Amino acid sequence: SFKYWKNKLDEAMGALVRSKGFCEKCGNKYERLEWSHVIGRANKTLRWDVLNALCLCSRDHRWWWHEEPLEASKWFQEKFPERYDYLMVAKNVLVERTEEDYKDLLEAIKNKDFDKLIVPKDVLDNLL
């Protein structure tokens, strides 16, 4: 079921993002690190996309990213312009996934196969 795969994938992706080892906003290595989504995690196409993931300390995730979304968006756009452009297109893609797709995603996360953790370029090209 989707709930089973969502939980498995979230656990693995959260660990992968936190393994970065520091907050991408402030550089803090000592506060609890969290997986933050640029485009909200309700977007199932981008939920486990590495270009939609940020490693933030709990303070920046909760009190900056969620409380100051306009400031956070501007920061992200300036710091990661290529990722921002990609996400502005990819957020409009709907990828229908099968159980086999979820298994493949989990393997890609575990193997750090980042090419398999983004929306394929040919899919995006069809939107442009």
Side-chain angles (χ1 to χ4, degrees), residues 72-89:
S73 177
K74 184 177 180 200
W75 169 86
F76 182 83
Q77 184 176 7
E78 290 172 358
K79 184 165 176 91
F80 304 107
E82 297 85 12
R83 284 172 65 184
Y84 179 87
D85 291 344
Y86 161 81
L87 290 170
M88 290 303 100
V89 174

Side-chain angles (χ1 to χ4, degrees), residues 3 18 25 36 42-43 46-47 49 51 57 67 73 81 108 114 117 123:
K3 186 175 181 179
R18 289 188 304 274
K25 168 75 166 62
S36 178
N43 182 313
L46 295 176
R47 185 178 185 117
D49 188 308
L51 298 179
C57 67
E67 296 296 324
S73 177
F114 299 122
L117 296 173
V123 173

Side-chain angles (χ1 to χ4, degrees), residues 12-13 15-20 50 104-117:
M13 189 67 172
L16 175 64
V17 172
R18 289 188 304 274
S19 74
K20 183 162 228 158
V50 293
D104 292 344
L105 266 176
L106 187 57
E107 279 303 305
I109 293 168
K110 288 179 178 179
N111 295 327
K112 298 183 180 183
D113 189 349
F114 299 122
D115 289 341
K116 292 182 181 173
L117 296 173

Side-chain angles (χ1 to χ4, degrees), residues 8-118:
K8 292 289 246 185
L9 290 162
D10 282 355
E11 181 182 328
M13 189 67 172
L16 175 64
V17 172
R18 289 188 304 274
S19 74
K20 183 162 228 158
F22 63 93
C23 175
E24 293 182 73
K25 168 75 166 62
C26 70
N28 191 323
K29 297 177 183 177
Y30 306 105
E31 194 167 330
R32 189 178 105 169
L33 297 175
E34 298 179 348
W35 166 30
S36 178
H37 297 80
V38 180
I39 304 297
R41 63 189 196 163
N43 182 313
K44 301 302 185 269
T45 298
L46 295 176
R47 185 178 185 117
W48 305 287
D49 188 308
V50 293
L51 298 179
N52 189 43
L54 287 171
C55 182
L56 297 176
C57 67
S58 58
R59 183 181 40 126
D60 283 334
H61 186 202
R62 295 173 194 258
W63 304 115
W64 174 72
W65 190 258
H66 287 290
E67 296 296 324
E68 300 293 340
L70 295 177
E71 181 183 317
S73 177
K74 184 177 180 200
W75 169 86
F76 182 83
Q77 184 176 7
E78 290 172 358
K79 184 165 176 91
F80 304 107
E82 297 85 12
R83 284 172 65 184
Y84 179 87
D85 291 344
Y86 161 81
L87 290 170
M88 290 303 100
V89 174
K91 71 179 182 163
N92 298 312
V93 173
L94 176 60
V95 174
E96 297 284 343
R97 293 191 169 114
T98 64
E99 187 165 353
E100 193 61 35
D101 294 329
Y102 291 128
K103 289 177 187 175
D104 292 344
L105 266 176
L106 187 57
E107 279 303 305
I109 293 168
K110 288 179 178 179
N111 295 327
K112 298 183 180 183
D113 189 349
F114 299 122
D115 289 341
K116 292 182 181 173
L117 296 173
I118 59 173

